[in-house]
Amino acid sequence: MSSATTEAGVGGIRRSRRRMLFEDERWLAMALLSPTILLLGLFIAYPFVTGVMLSLSNARVGVPGEFVGFANFARLWNDPIFAKAVGNTFIYTAVTTVFKLALGLWLAVLLNRHFRGKALVRAFILLPFIIPTVLSTFAWKWMFDPTFSVLNWTFRTLGLIDTRINWLGDPDLAMLSVMIVNIWRGVPFYAISLLAGLQTISPDLHEAAAIDGARPWSRFWHITWPLLLPVTMVVVLFSVIQTFADFQLVYVLTAGGPANATHLFATYAYQVAIGTGLLSEGAAISLAMFPVLFLVVIIQLLYIRRVETR
């Protein structure tokens, strides 16, 4: 009888300790966050650390390699293709971001109005963003084909051109084509995100300004845009990160060609690491974009906080 009582008492103490443990917010927070921390460690921290270790070695496919310090990064300074990829990445990101923001904001303003079939139009605009990147890019690659290009056929029918245009074979046109596809795919993300921000703005503000005699452009510039700016900065932040590290779209369209004219950080790193087997140099190219992205993120986050405080 006494042993049973003792076991019951011990079990009660354990249950009470366990209850007290989970009532402590610190232990409860750790218990809830531990699965997320484990996933982040496996899929983000571990690949990042492995990439850093590879970039500091002379590893190749099948060869572990030895520690060489910053030799791989020093070699990149004398690589003309890497310099071209750096310039392409900045131009590609800047141009596409500006056009996606302008077109996305224009579509968001139009979709914020009341008209028949508004829900259907919103769903239709999301199609470029919903379709898998590789699938839609293959369709665009066929449209840019010099022999079977629907664009060339259309331009020749309208009398705008006399000869076929090799969209992906000319270095300048290839970069322009890649930008067009990126803009086409990214505009829906901007439009829907900015539309959500527009719907949080009270119509009473516009009605009051209209009564005071403010014109539509003045109402947009002094009411809509300041209230929409925090949402816009967050959307631009995510877009810049995704565009700066873009791979699928460029690789399917041109694979970095012609003559390395459309290489970005990601495509050139893939070509060096997988195409030639130089894993260490490919890792160094990939990590070269990290300081730039980190700086861009910090600047934009500080600006977002400043805008929200204002």
PDB file of all heavy atoms in Angstrom, residues 231-252:
ATOM      1  N   VAL A 231       4.217  48.729 -48.117  1.00  0.00           N
ATOM      2  CA  VAL A 231       3.955  47.475 -48.827  1.00  0.00           C
ATOM      3  C   VAL A 231       4.843  47.364 -50.063  1.00  0.00           C
ATOM      4  O   VAL A 231       5.391  46.295 -50.364  1.00  0.00           O
ATOM      5  CB  VAL A 231       2.472  47.378 -49.222  1.00  0.00           C
ATOM      6  CG1 VAL A 231       2.201  46.112 -50.015  1.00  0.00           C
ATOM      7  CG2 VAL A 231       1.589  47.428 -47.989  1.00  0.00           C
ATOM      8  N   THR A 232       5.002  48.475 -50.764  1.00  0.00           N
ATOM      9  CA  THR A 232       5.832  48.479 -51.973  1.00  0.00           C
ATOM     10  C   THR A 232       7.269  48.109 -51.661  1.00  0.00           C
ATOM     11  O   THR A 232       7.899  47.330 -52.390  1.00  0.00           O
ATOM     12  CB  THR A 232       5.790  49.861 -52.640  1.00  0.00           C
ATOM     13  OG1 THR A 232       4.435  50.227 -52.902  1.00  0.00           O
ATOM     14  CG2 THR A 232       6.578  49.871 -53.931  1.00  0.00           C
ATOM     15  N   MET A 233       7.817  48.624 -50.576  1.00  0.00           N
ATOM     16  CA  MET A 233       9.202  48.338 -50.234  1.00  0.00           C
ATOM     17  C   MET A 233       9.398  46.873 -49.879  1.00  0.00           C
ATOM     18  O   MET A 233      10.426  46.274 -50.223  1.00  0.00           O
ATOM     19  CB  MET A 233       9.640  49.233 -49.072  1.00  0.00           C
ATOM     20  CG  MET A 233       9.714  50.708 -49.411  1.00  0.00           C
ATOM     21  SD  MET A 233      10.760  51.060 -50.844  1.00  0.00           S
ATOM     22  CE  MET A 233      12.336  50.405 -50.292  1.00  0.00           C
ATOM     23  N   VAL A 234       8.427  46.273 -49.211  1.00  0.00           N
ATOM     24  CA  VAL A 234       8.536  44.849 -48.890  1.00  0.00           C
ATOM     25  C   VAL A 234       8.488  44.004 -50.160  1.00  0.00           C
ATOM     26  O   VAL A 234       9.268  43.063 -50.339  1.00  0.00           O
ATOM     27  CB  VAL A 234       7.409  44.439 -47.917  1.00  0.00           C
ATOM     28  CG1 VAL A 234       7.409  42.923 -47.704  1.00  0.00           C
ATOM     29  CG2 VAL A 234       7.569  45.156 -46.585  1.00  0.00           C
ATOM     30  N   VAL A 235       7.580  44.356 -51.073  1.00  0.00           N
ATOM     31  CA  VAL A 235       7.471  43.626 -52.337  1.00  0.00           C
ATOM     32  C   VAL A 235       8.757  43.764 -53.148  1.00  0.00           C
ATOM     33  O   VAL A 235       9.263  42.786 -53.717  1.00  0.00           O
ATOM     34  CB  VAL A 235       6.257  44.133 -53.145  1.00  0.00           C
ATOM     35  CG1 VAL A 235       6.219  43.483 -54.524  1.00  0.00           C
ATOM     36  CG2 VAL A 235       4.969  43.840 -52.399  1.00  0.00           C
ATOM     37  N   VAL A 236       9.298  44.975 -53.212  1.00  0.00           N
ATOM     38  CA  VAL A 236      10.541  45.200 -53.951  1.00  0.00           C
ATOM     39  C   VAL A 236      11.686  44.419 -53.322  1.00  0.00           C
ATOM     40  O   VAL A 236      12.542  43.866 -54.028  1.00  0.00           O
ATOM     41  CB  VAL A 236      10.863  46.708 -54.000  1.00  0.00           C
ATOM     42  CG1 VAL A 236      12.266  46.949 -54.550  1.00  0.00           C
ATOM     43  CG2 VAL A 236       9.845  47.437 -54.854  1.00  0.00           C
ATOM     44  N   LEU A 237      11.715  44.346 -52.004  1.00  0.00           N
ATOM     45  CA  LEU A 237      12.779  43.608 -51.314  1.00  0.00           C
ATOM     46  C   LEU A 237      12.782  42.148 -51.729  1.00  0.00           C
ATOM     47  O   LEU A 237      13.818  41.593 -52.122  1.00  0.00           O
ATOM     48  CB  LEU A 237      12.597  43.745 -49.800  1.00  0.00           C
ATOM     49  CG  LEU A 237      13.537  42.903 -48.928  1.00  0.00           C
ATOM     50  CD1 LEU A 237      14.979  43.315 -49.155  1.00  0.00           C
ATOM     51  CD2 LEU A 237      13.168  43.029 -47.452  1.00  0.00           C
ATOM     52  N   PHE A 238      11.623  41.496 -51.667  1.00  0.00           N
ATOM     53  CA  PHE A 238      11.543  40.089 -52.059  1.00  0.00           C
ATOM     54  C   PHE A 238      11.853  39.919 -53.545  1.00  0.00           C
ATOM     55  O   PHE A 238      12.514  38.944 -53.946  1.00  0.00           O
ATOM     56  CB  PHE A 238      10.160  39.539 -51.738  1.00  0.00           C
ATOM     57  CG  PHE A 238       9.961  39.210 -50.295  1.00  0.00           C
ATOM     58  CD1 PHE A 238       9.202  40.030 -49.475  1.00  0.00           C
ATOM     59  CD2 PHE A 238      10.529  38.079 -49.734  1.00  0.00           C
ATOM     60  CE1 PHE A 238       9.020  39.743 -48.140  1.00  0.00           C
ATOM     61  CE2 PHE A 238      10.358  37.772 -48.391  1.00  0.00           C
ATOM     62  CZ  PHE A 238       9.596  38.599 -47.587  1.00  0.00           C
ATOM     63  N   SER A 239      11.396  40.849 -54.366  1.00  0.00           N
ATOM     64  CA  SER A 239      11.633  40.739 -55.797  1.00  0.00           C
ATOM     65  C   SER A 239      13.113  40.880 -56.135  1.00  0.00           C
ATOM     66  O   SER A 239      13.636  40.142 -56.984  1.00  0.00           O
ATOM     67  CB  SER A 239      10.830  41.810 -56.544  1.00  0.00           C
ATOM     68  OG  SER A 239      11.106  41.777 -57.927  1.00  0.00           O
ATOM     69  N   VAL A 240      13.791  41.803 -55.494  1.00  0.00           N
ATOM     70  CA  VAL A 240      15.218  41.995 -55.748  1.00  0.00           C
ATOM     71  C   VAL A 240      16.003  40.740 -55.361  1.00  0.00           C
ATOM     72  O   VAL A 240      16.901  40.302 -56.098  1.00  0.00           O
ATOM     73  CB  VAL A 240      15.741  43.225 -54.976  1.00  0.00           C
ATOM     74  CG1 VAL A 240      17.264  43.258 -54.970  1.00  0.00           C
ATOM     75  CG2 VAL A 240      15.200  44.502 -55.594  1.00  0.00           C
ATOM     76  N   ILE A 241      15.658  40.144 -54.230  1.00  0.00           N
ATOM     77  CA  ILE A 241      16.362  38.927 -53.801  1.00  0.00           C
ATOM     78  C   ILE A 241      16.151  37.808 -54.811  1.00  0.00           C
ATOM     79  O   ILE A 241      17.104  37.116 -55.210  1.00  0.00           O
ATOM     80  CB  ILE A 241      15.874  38.508 -52.406  1.00  0.00           C
ATOM     81  CG1 ILE A 241      16.287  39.550 -51.365  1.00  0.00           C
ATOM     82  CG2 ILE A 241      16.432  37.141 -52.031  1.00  0.00           C
ATOM     83  CD1 ILE A 241      15.716  39.291 -49.991  1.00  0.00           C
ATOM     84  N   GLN A 242      14.910  37.606 -55.260  1.00  0.00           N
ATOM     85  CA  GLN A 242      14.622  36.538 -56.205  1.00  0.00           C
ATOM     86  C   GLN A 242      15.258  36.802 -57.564  1.00  0.00           C
ATOM     87  O   GLN A 242      15.782  35.884 -58.204  1.00  0.00           O
ATOM     88  CB  GLN A 242      13.109  36.371 -56.350  1.00  0.00           C
ATOM     89  CG  GLN A 242      12.422  35.871 -55.096  1.00  0.00           C
ATOM     90  CD  GLN A 242      10.908  35.826 -55.237  1.00  0.00           C
ATOM     91  OE1 GLN A 242      10.353  36.252 -56.253  1.00  0.00           O
ATOM     92  NE2 GLN A 242      10.234  35.327 -54.217  1.00  0.00           N
ATOM     93  N   THR A 243      15.217  38.043 -58.021  1.00  0.00           N
ATOM     94  CA  THR A 243      15.773  38.371 -59.338  1.00  0.00           C
ATOM     95  C   THR A 243      17.285  38.293 -59.332  1.00  0.00           C
ATOM     96  O   THR A 243      17.901  37.829 -60.295  1.00  0.00           O
ATOM     97  CB  THR A 243      15.319  39.776 -59.771  1.00  0.00           C
ATOM     98  OG1 THR A 243      13.900  39.874 -59.673  1.00  0.00           O
ATOM     99  CG2 THR A 243      15.744  40.063 -61.193  1.00  0.00           C
ATOM    100  N   PHE A 244      17.908  38.750 -58.266  1.00  0.00           N
ATOM    101  CA  PHE A 244      19.360  38.750 -58.179  1.00  0.00           C
ATOM    102  C   PHE A 244      19.916  37.330 -58.227  1.00  0.00           C
ATOM    103  O   PHE A 244      20.998  37.095 -58.768  1.00  0.00           O
ATOM    104  CB  PHE A 244      19.799  39.438 -56.877  1.00  0.00           C
ATOM    105  CG  PHE A 244      21.186  40.006 -56.925  1.00  0.00           C
ATOM    106  CD1 PHE A 244      21.398  41.284 -57.429  1.00  0.00           C
ATOM    107  CD2 PHE A 244      22.269  39.287 -56.479  1.00  0.00           C
ATOM    108  CE1 PHE A 244      22.671  41.820 -57.481  1.00  0.00           C
ATOM    109  CE2 PHE A 244      23.551  39.811 -56.528  1.00  0.00           C
ATOM    110  CZ  PHE A 244      23.758  41.085 -57.032  1.00  0.00           C
ATOM    111  N   ALA A 245      19.174  36.390 -57.657  1.00  0.00           N
ATOM    112  CA  ALA A 245      19.619  34.993 -57.630  1.00  0.00           C
ATOM    113  C   ALA A 245      18.885  34.145 -58.664  1.00  0.00           C
ATOM    114  O   ALA A 245      18.807  32.914 -58.514  1.00  0.00           O
ATOM    115  CB  ALA A 245      19.405  34.416 -56.230  1.00  0.00           C
ATOM    116  N   ASP A 246      18.348  34.761 -59.707  1.00  0.00           N
ATOM    117  CA  ASP A 246      17.577  34.029 -60.708  1.00  0.00           C
ATOM    118  C   ASP A 246      18.457  33.007 -61.430  1.00  0.00           C
ATOM    119  O   ASP A 246      19.620  33.273 -61.744  1.00  0.00           O
ATOM    120  CB  ASP A 246      16.989  35.007 -61.721  1.00  0.00           C
ATOM    121  CG  ASP A 246      15.833  34.391 -62.490  1.00  0.00           C
ATOM    122  OD1 ASP A 246      15.500  33.229 -62.235  1.00  0.00           O
ATOM    123  OD2 ASP A 246      15.262  35.094 -63.348  1.00  0.00           O
ATOM    124  N   PHE A 247      17.888  31.833 -61.704  1.00  0.00           N
ATOM    125  CA  PHE A 247      18.639  30.771 -62.383  1.00  0.00           C
ATOM    126  C   PHE A 247      17.819  30.079 -63.465  1.00  0.00           C
ATOM    127  O   PHE A 247      18.227  30.002 -64.622  1.00  0.00           O
ATOM    128  CB  PHE A 247      19.124  29.731 -61.373  1.00  0.00           C
ATOM    129  CG  PHE A 247      19.730  28.511 -62.017  1.00  0.00           C
ATOM    130  CD1 PHE A 247      21.016  28.548 -62.528  1.00  0.00           C
ATOM    131  CD2 PHE A 247      19.004  27.333 -62.117  1.00  0.00           C
ATOM    132  CE1 PHE A 247      21.574  27.430 -63.148  1.00  0.00           C
ATOM    133  CE2 PHE A 247      19.549  26.214 -62.724  1.00  0.00           C
ATOM    134  CZ  PHE A 247      20.838  26.262 -63.247  1.00  0.00           C
ATOM    135  N   GLN A 248      16.628  29.583 -63.089  1.00  0.00           N
ATOM    136  CA  GLN A 248      15.856  28.743 -63.999  1.00  0.00           C
ATOM    137  C   GLN A 248      15.549  29.437 -65.318  1.00  0.00           C
ATOM    138  O   GLN A 248      15.770  28.875 -66.400  1.00  0.00           O
ATOM    139  CB  GLN A 248      14.534  28.327 -63.339  1.00  0.00           C
ATOM    140  CG  GLN A 248      14.671  27.502 -62.091  1.00  0.00           C
ATOM    141  CD  GLN A 248      13.318  27.129 -61.524  1.00  0.00           C
ATOM    142  OE1 GLN A 248      12.581  26.333 -62.081  1.00  0.00           O
ATOM    143  NE2 GLN A 248      12.977  27.730 -60.402  1.00  0.00           N
ATOM    144  N   LEU A 249      15.059  30.647 -65.227  1.00  0.00           N
ATOM    145  CA  LEU A 249      14.615  31.361 -66.419  1.00  0.00           C
ATOM    146  C   LEU A 249      15.770  31.569 -67.398  1.00  0.00           C
ATOM    147  O   LEU A 249      15.658  31.280 -68.602  1.00  0.00           O
ATOM    148  CB  LEU A 249      14.002  32.694 -66.002  1.00  0.00           C
ATOM    149  CG  LEU A 249      13.238  33.506 -67.019  1.00  0.00           C
ATOM    150  CD1 LEU A 249      12.157  34.316 -66.311  1.00  0.00           C
ATOM    151  CD2 LEU A 249      14.160  34.456 -67.762  1.00  0.00           C
ATOM    152  N   VAL A 250      16.900  32.057 -66.898  1.00  0.00           N
ATOM    153  CA  VAL A 250      18.045  32.336 -67.763  1.00  0.00           C
ATOM    154  C   VAL A 250      18.647  31.046 -68.300  1.00  0.00           C
ATOM    155  O   VAL A 250      19.018  30.959 -69.473  1.00  0.00           O
ATOM    156  CB  VAL A 250      19.104  33.150 -66.990  1.00  0.00           C
ATOM    157  CG1 VAL A 250      20.298  33.455 -67.876  1.00  0.00           C
ATOM    158  CG2 VAL A 250      18.505  34.435 -66.450  1.00  0.00           C
ATOM    159  N   TYR A 251      18.726  30.028 -67.458  1.00  0.00           N
ATOM    160  CA  TYR A 251      19.360  28.781 -67.890  1.00  0.00           C
ATOM    161  C   TYR A 251      18.550  28.090 -68.977  1.00  0.00           C
ATOM    162  O   TYR A 251      19.115  27.549 -69.929  1.00  0.00           O
ATOM    163  CB  TYR A 251      19.539  27.843 -66.697  1.00  0.00           C
ATOM    164  CG  TYR A 251      20.383  26.636 -67.021  1.00  0.00           C
ATOM    165  CD1 TYR A 251      21.770  26.745 -67.076  1.00  0.00           C
ATOM    166  CD2 TYR A 251      19.799  25.401 -67.285  1.00  0.00           C
ATOM    167  CE1 TYR A 251      22.561  25.638 -67.384  1.00  0.00           C
ATOM    168  CE2 TYR A 251      20.572  24.299 -67.597  1.00  0.00           C
ATOM    169  CZ  TYR A 251      21.954  24.423 -67.650  1.00  0.00           C
ATOM    170  OH  TYR A 251      22.721  23.333 -67.971  1.00  0.00           O
ATOM    171  N   VAL A 252      17.231  28.105 -68.863  1.00  0.00           N
ATOM    172  CA  VAL A 252      16.397  27.461 -69.880  1.00  0.00           C
ATOM    173  C   VAL A 252      16.446  28.235 -71.191  1.00  0.00           C
ATOM    174  O   VAL A 252      16.516  27.645 -72.279  1.00  0.00           O
ATOM    175  CB  VAL A 252      14.951  27.328 -69.380  1.00  0.00           C
ATOM    176  CG1 VAL A 252      14.035  26.832 -70.493  1.00  0.00           C
ATOM    177  CG2 VAL A 252      14.885  26.368 -68.194  1.00  0.00           C
TER     178      VAL A 252
END
